[in-house]
Amino acid sequence: MKKLGELLLEQGKLTERDVERTLLAQDEMGGLFGQVLVRLGLVSELDVATAVSAQLGIQLLVADDYPEATVADIPVESGFLVSHCALPLSLTDSHAEFIAAVPQDPYLSKALTMALDRPVSLLLGLESEISQRLQEQMSGSDEDIVDEEGADPFAGQSDDEFIEHLKDLASEAPVIRLVNEIIHRALEMNASDIHLEPFDNGLHLRYRVDGVLQLYPEPPPLNLAAAISSRIKLLSKMNIAETRLPQDGRIMTRVKGHELDLRVSTIPTVHGESIVMRVLDRDSVRLSLSSMGFSADTLERYEELLSRPHGVLLVTGPTGSGKTTTLYASLSSLSSGSQKIITVEDPVEYQLPGINQIQVHPQIELSFARSLRAILRQDPDIIMIGEMRDTETAQIGVQSALTGHLVLSTLHTNTAASAVTRLEDMGIERYLITSALNGVLAQRLVRTLCEACRAPVPMDAAQAERAGLAEYFEHGPGTVYEAVGCEACQQTGFSGRTGIHELLLLDDSMHREIMSGADARELHAAARRNGMKTLYEDGLRKVALGVTSIAEVLRVTQDQSDAGDVNLADADTGLAGAPAG
């Protein structure tokens, strides 16, 4: 069988230069060779369809050949027909006939056969004509849900031909509908992130729900990967023609009454662009320290640190552990009426009333350090630094604390004690650390058990002692719970998340340890002697309360040395094999 390009060359429809140009565009845009030819305007849709008909031996129908009344009521989702550009022509008890823009697609034929439970034959048609007939049958179904005003504000804003074609591709109704469905599904699943990843076996769609990635079983078709990528880039105001470099953008939209803020990141991979969208539902944000999962004693000590007039207070943990949300809740608990509060962030995630918030812009050299130097001339009482990323930022933050400001910030460290050594690594002298640092809060997020399906596991005294739970049961051995899974929690056994915390207070004894050159492990041991509860121990409190499971606490705190001593199999609770999701 001759290739489509060869057939069109023989017919004089193309030149060899046109073929080379189309192959390059196909690498960038994806899709079939004939579709790319049409989108580049090199050959008419009818010429391509005629050549494909001859190539595959499939009958070609144009709009004039369609029956006056095509089948409208069939047991196939209209969205499926639109996304695969297939129009039902006839339907009997023994056979069905469709016209499709890509009739050679084996997935389409198999899917229709299974859905209708009868043999299906596919004829070839022009994509534009099929789409028009489908739109006539489904009046109003092509409404843009993401942009609720109905217009696509991004179409036709570039004079460059290649970009124009990408925009046309991204503005097709099936692509718009797919992207909208992907975003809507994230809201329905209460997902924090959307991952669109191209691989050699297809396009993978995954959602991060309660901190764990879940593979969606019905991903978009691979041939729409480039179109979906272009659509998301248009919405997030990225350069849609740039596929070789990472890009960042933002989508502000309203879905089902919810204000959604999507932070979009793209990165090139060997199979195409991988896209991750961080989902922030502004309507579900709870900026209250009491809703963060603090134990009563930890919250009391943390609020005492917040009430101090000056010093540095750090929140540590890996990406996605809720550090920034805790800082926002901390600021919300402070009075912005009697105090001037300024933040420097990248990006500004929540807009707080009465607080001056600065967005870092590296492109114009507005860095954390440069913003902080300017902030000090604004007479602030409280400063929040989104992250201490470099030595200069850390030094200015410490100097600000020493000159009478309360400084809140985050660090990427695993434990509270290791934040001290991290500051040393960034060039902060020990005597400055002891003078400026008030305390360090380390935190993680653990999934909370689904109330509808959690299973009780009774424990006797010996089991509770071996599992480390004995001291957290108020009235002797009690009951803990493990995850099971039901429809309400999508078979994960968990619903929602809460925080576990480890608060390191820098008192005189800790100052002496720091000045003696103690490393992170020694500082951690000294803090425990002073009464600090570790992340794992705080997690066990919530296990005893039935909030989460031992398996979940172990999953989240497995980098903590304290958790490594617990042998759940010896405890014989049945939890050693508990699902982690």
Side-chain angles (χ1 to χ4, degrees):
M1 182 185 298
K2 289 186 177 180
K3 294 182 178 180
L4 181 61
E6 294 175 349
L7 288 173
L8 292 171
L9 279 171
E10 291 176 358
Q11 296 171 10
K13 304 292 185 181
L14 287 178
T15 64
E16 292 185 0
R17 172 58 183 156
D18 292 333
V19 173
E20 293 174 359
R21 180 183 172 190
T22 305
L23 290 173
L24 288 173
Q26 187 180 24
D27 288 339
E28 295 285 338
M29 300 165 58
L32 299 176
F33 183 81
Q35 293 173 333
V36 178
L37 279 173
V38 174
R39 289 177 184 132
L40 291 177
L42 297 175
V43 182
S44 72
E45 189 179 9
L46 180 59
D47 287 338
V48 170
T50 302
V52 170
S53 176
Q55 179 193 34
L56 302 178
I58 299 177
Q59 181 183 354
L60 170 65
L61 291 185
V62 294
D64 292 340
D65 300 325
Y66 292 5
E68 290 185 5
T70 54
V71 181
D73 186 19
I74 62 170
V76 179
E77 289 287 339
S78 58
F80 178 87
L81 296 178
V82 172
S83 63
H84 290 82
C85 202
L87 177 71
L89 296 180
S90 64
L91 180 67
T92 66
D93 292 339
S94 60
H95 182 260
E97 188 175 66
F98 284 73
I99 183 171
V102 189
Q104 68 270 31
D105 183 359
Y107 172 78
L108 175 61
S109 176
K110 184 176 180 180
L112 290 174
T113 300
M114 292 178 64
L116 299 173
D117 194 26
R118 68 203 73 184
V120 174
S121 59
L122 295 173
L123 304 180
L124 175 64
L126 302 186
E127 183 175 353
S128 60
E129 294 178 348
I130 296 173
S131 296
Q132 183 178 352
R133 179 62 70 92
L134 285 171
Q135 289 175 14
E136 292 173 357
Q137 290 185 352
M138 302 178 299
S139 59
S141 66
D142 289 338
E143 182 176 317
D144 184 353
I145 306 173
V146 171
D147 184 358
E148 293 191 338
E149 304 203 353
D152 185 354
F154 300 99
Q157 291 187 354
S158 172
D159 295 329
D160 183 89
E161 182 182 27
F162 182 65
I163 295 178
E164 281 297 329
H165 283 293
L166 281 176
K167 287 185 177 181
D168 292 341
L169 179 66
S171 299
E172 293 176 356
V175 176
I176 292 173
R177 187 175 299 106
L178 267 174
V179 173
N180 294 339
E181 289 174 357
I182 290 170
I183 295 173
H184 283 209
R185 198 176 297 119
L187 182 64
E188 294 167 358
M189 297 174 67
N190 197 26
S192 61
D193 300 88
I194 305 169
H195 294 246
L196 276 164
E197 304 157 311
F199 293 100
D200 56 354
N201 64 340
L203 189 65
H204 290 193
L205 173 60
R206 298 195 288 176
Y207 293 91
R208 188 177 295 278
V209 181
D210 294 336
V212 178
L213 280 173
Q214 298 181 10
L215 181 65
Y216 190 72
E218 300 177 14
L222 183 61
N223 64 338
L224 290 179
I228 292 171
S229 173
S230 296
R231 176 66 184 170
I232 293 172
K233 284 181 175 181
L234 284 175
L235 291 173
S236 52
K237 301 180 182 178
M238 295 181 188
N239 180 0
I240 63 172
E242 180 56 77
T243 60
R244 300 165 298 174
L245 295 173
Q247 294 189 72
D248 294 297
R250 182 176 184 178
I251 302 173
M252 300 288 293
T253 187
R254 186 174 182 84
V255 176
K256 295 183 179 179
H258 291 255
E259 292 288 345
L260 286 190
D261 184 355
L262 305 176
R263 303 297 166 82
V264 185
S265 171
T266 69
I267 192 167
T269 69
V270 293
H271 297 295
E273 283 187 290
S274 175
I275 299 176
V276 175
M277 291 182 277
R278 169 67 60 89
V279 182
L280 174 62
D281 182 359
R282 294 179 177 272
D283 296 334
S284 65
V285 172
R286 297 172 300 169
L287 296 180
S288 168
L289 287 174
S290 61
S291 65
M292 297 291 169
F294 280 95
S295 300
D297 56 340
T298 303
L299 180 58
E300 182 181 354
R301 291 196 298 269
Y302 182 70
E303 289 179 330
E304 189 275 325
L305 293 177
L306 284 175
S307 67
R308 296 186 184 182
H310 55 80
V312 176
L313 178 55
L314 296 176
V315 181
T316 74
T319 301
S321 59
K323 300 186 299 296
T324 303
T325 304
T326 297
L327 284 184
Y328 276 117
S330 302
L331 292 178
S332 296
S333 70
L334 299 169
S335 173
S336 60
S338 59
Q339 295 173 305
K340 185 175 181 69
I341 303 175
I342 304 180
T343 73
V344 188
E345 307 165 61
D346 184 20
V348 174
E349 294 191 6
Y350 311 98
Q351 295 182 14
L352 303 177
I355 294 177
N356 299 277
Q357 296 174 266
I358 301 172
Q359 168 75 54
V360 170
H361 288 291
Q363 302 91 335
I364 58 174
E365 299 183 0
L366 182 61
S367 62
F368 278 106
R370 186 171 183 177
S371 299
L372 282 172
R373 285 193 294 268
I375 279 176
L376 295 177
R377 297 191 289 272
Q378 291 280 313
D379 187 30
D381 296 294
I382 300 170
I383 300 170
M384 188 193 87
I385 307 169
E387 181 185 343
M388 286 191 175
R389 295 181 178 177
D390 51 52
T391 298
E392 188 178 8
T393 302
Q395 288 176 338
I396 297 174
V398 169
Q399 291 295 336
S400 301
L402 293 174
T403 54
H405 304 88
L406 179 62
V407 178
L408 310 180
S409 189
T410 68
L411 272 180
H412 282 94
T413 62
N414 289 329
T415 64
S418 58
V420 175
T421 55
R422 173 73 178 128
L423 290 175
E424 289 185 37
D425 294 339
M426 296 173 74
I428 308 300
E429 299 290 344
R430 291 174 186 161
Y431 73 90
L432 291 176
I433 295 174
T434 57
S435 301
L437 189 60
N438 291 340
V440 183
L441 178 74
Q443 78 172 50
R444 300 287 191 279
L445 294 177
V446 294
R447 293 178 294 171
T448 54
L449 288 165
C450 174
E451 295 281 351
C453 67
R454 64 178 186 171
V457 180
M459 301 186 76
D460 59 32
Q463 292 171 339
E465 187 68 34
R466 284 196 295 270
L469 283 164
E471 63 178 294
Y472 303 110
F473 288 122
E474 293 184 6
H475 307 292
T479 300
V480 297
Y481 294 84
E482 64 180 353
V484 176
C486 64
E487 290 185 6
C489 60
Q490 301 177 49
Q491 304 301 325
T492 64
F494 298 92
S495 178
R497 289 190 290 177
T498 190
I500 56 175
H501 304 89
E502 173 180 294
L503 182 59
L504 171 66
L505 300 175
L506 269 77
D507 54 16
D508 291 340
S509 63
M510 290 303 299
H511 289 167
R512 288 192 293 271
E513 292 287 342
I514 294 172
M515 293 305 296
S516 70
D519 60 18
R521 184 175 291 274
E522 293 168 336
L523 292 174
H524 184 79
R528 292 201 65 190
R529 289 194 297 271
N530 289 346
M532 180 185 78
K533 293 291 185 183
T534 66
L535 287 166
Y536 177 69
E537 290 168 337
D538 194 44
L540 288 182
R541 293 182 185 182
K542 293 175 172 60
V543 172
L545 293 172
V547 174
T548 190
S549 68
I550 292 182
E552 174 66 6
V553 172
L554 283 173
R555 180 186 71 85
V556 173
T557 62
Q558 59 189 347
D559 58 340
Q560 306 296 307
S561 59
D562 305 298
D565 298 331
V566 178
N567 189 329
L568 291 181
D570 290 342
D572 194 29
T573 63
L575 293 176

